[in-house]
Amino acid sequence: MKGQLLLHLFFQVFGVFVFADVWKVKVEHEMKALVSSCVVLPCTFQYPQTRQPSARTRGIWHKKDKWDDYVYYEDETRVLDNFKGRTRLVGRLGELNCSLEIDEVKDHDNGPFCFRVELETSEKNRYSFVENCVHISMLEKALQPELHSDLAVQEGHPAIFRCSVRHTCPSHQPTLTWNHNGHNMMSYKDMGHGNWEVESILSFTPTKEDDHSDIMCTVSYHGVKDKFVASRPIFVKEQTDVNHILIPVFFGLGATLLAGGLCFFIGKRCNATPAPTARYTCVVETHADIQRPLDSAAPQNKVLYI
């Protein structure tokens, strides 16, 4: 008799552990939500029976302390008046996804909220996961976007500017816009624990007109009238034009070589037919003043200008 009692207790305890092991839900116990916007509570679950399609699975969200206070129910007439028209399942129950969206978030939508699953296969196949519920902390003001770029950019070379913001409503992503034209690329990243990041990458080739101007990134949140801006100045390094350096150098070098060549040619002619009573001095006239002969006091010297 005693052995049978111990065996019965063993199966009871074993059954409890098995039951608890197969009815599972995974949620984020703490979430943040922007008032007037939306929030998605990520949720996945499992149950011991063969997986059922969405049509044969009922998902319910209710308050922790009052199981009949429905935050979400497929029959909206049974939903609390305060939540009617503001909640919907964004996950597919047939894929074991029970994620819930709450739109037009109120400052008193704190919860805790719990998920309940009901299978049509049996009246017993119903379970409320009241040991894993979600509490929501409210954000009265949205997060400012983060703007990243180099402190100075080079004129004529492509420059890249990054703007990003984190949020908790992937069903209605924030929009990011710029005050400058260019190529814009958007990306959306799951940061885990119900947090998401949207990033905009702007690239353009700066000009002199962009120097000391401001680049601005503006974020707009779903359901929020106010817009939030991040800005920073642009400093453009002027592009060095090598022609401004090379042309004067080559011009001066060419003029020098030409003048030297002419002096050499004329000097040879003068040496070939010397005059008995006169000496010639070769003087090259450039853009500067005309050079005078070294012996300007000798009247018999004749000067030949080029």
Side-chain angles (χ1 to χ4, degrees):
M1 182 71 179
K2 185 176 180 181
Q4 290 181 345
L5 180 60
L6 291 175
L7 185 63
H8 178 70
L9 290 175
F10 169 79
F11 279 113
Q12 277 192 328
V13 173
F14 178 79
V16 168
F17 278 110
V18 171
F19 184 77
D21 183 58
V22 294
W23 289 89
K24 288 184 176 181
V25 70
K26 182 179 180 181
V27 296
E28 296 297 330
H29 296 155
E30 293 290 336
M31 289 288 297
K32 293 181 180 180
L34 177 60
V35 175
S36 299
S37 188
C38 56
V39 63
V40 172
L41 311 182
C43 173
T44 57
F45 67 103
Q46 69 180 58
Y47 48 84
Q49 284 73 26
T50 303
R51 184 183 298 188
Q52 300 295 316
S54 297
R56 303 193 64 184
T57 307
R58 177 181 294 118
I60 302 170
W61 281 83
H62 59 81
K63 290 187 174 182
K64 182 176 183 178
D65 52 350
K66 296 181 180 180
W67 292 21
D68 292 332
D69 284 355
Y70 297 138
V71 174
Y72 168 81
Y73 198 92
E74 59 185 4
D75 181 4
E76 196 174 76
T77 60
R78 302 182 64 178
V79 176
L80 293 171
D81 290 341
N82 186 41
F83 288 94
K84 284 183 178 178
R86 296 200 297 121
T87 58
R88 68 185 181 101
L89 287 181
V90 293
R92 295 180 178 272
L93 296 176
E95 299 175 1
L96 306 181
N97 190 320
C98 46
S99 299
L100 176 74
E101 177 194 272
I102 303 177
D103 199 7
E104 300 177 16
V105 173
K106 311 297 181 184
D107 57 6
H108 50 76
D109 291 344
N110 302 99
F113 304 121
C114 311
F115 176 68
R116 175 180 175 84
V117 60
E118 297 180 353
L119 305 179
E120 292 185 359
T121 55
S122 172
E123 291 290 331
K124 297 180 180 180
N125 293 331
R126 301 180 178 185
Y127 196 88
S128 287
F129 300 94
V130 291
E131 70 279 5
N132 288 303
C133 300
V134 183
H135 178 267
I136 303 176
S137 300
M138 299 303 164
L139 298 175
E140 296 292 339
K141 187 176 181 180
L143 297 176
Q144 293 278 30
E146 295 184 2
L147 180 56
H148 302 280
S149 67
D150 293 334
L151 185 61
V153 295
Q154 183 69 48
E155 178 189 4
H157 293 267
I160 296 178
F161 301 85
R162 297 175 180 270
C163 182
S164 62
V165 70
R166 293 194 177 188
H167 62 97
T168 56
C169 188
S171 55
H172 297 281
Q173 298 277 358
T175 58
L176 298 173
T177 56
W178 298 88
N179 68 328
H180 199 291
N181 294 327
H183 181 263
N184 186 16
M185 183 175 65
M186 302 292 297
S187 64
Y188 308 91
K189 185 177 181 181
D190 184 358
M191 306 301 292
H193 304 289
N195 295 293
W196 289 74
E197 181 183 75
V198 54
E199 182 182 49
S200 175
I201 302 177
L202 176 70
S203 60
F204 64 90
T205 302
T207 63
K208 294 179 181 179
E209 289 72 19
D210 294 315
D211 189 29
H212 285 80
S213 64
D214 288 330
I215 188 75
M216 292 187 292
C217 172
T218 303
V219 58
S220 301
Y221 292 91
H222 169 75
V224 179
K225 294 181 179 180
D226 295 334
K227 297 182 178 181
F228 304 88
V229 180
S231 66
R232 63 182 305 167
I234 304 176
F235 300 103
V236 181
K237 297 179 181 178
E238 186 175 355
Q239 187 175 21
T240 303
D241 190 355
V242 294
N243 293 331
H244 292 166
I245 300 175
L246 295 180
I247 290 177
V249 171
F250 286 134
F251 181 79
L253 181 61
T256 302
L257 292 175
L258 178 61
L262 289 174
C263 280
F264 177 78
F265 176 74
I266 295 174
K268 291 195 67 171
R269 290 182 58 188
C270 293
N271 292 333
T273 55
T277 59
R279 293 188 293 113
Y280 292 86
T281 300
C282 182
V283 178
V284 179
E285 182 179 1
T286 61
H287 293 286
D289 293 339
I290 297 177
Q291 301 179 18
R292 297 303 179 187
L294 296 176
D295 189 8
S296 58
Q300 69 274 20
N301 288 356
K302 293 184 179 180
V303 179
L304 178 62
Y305 292 99
I306 299 174

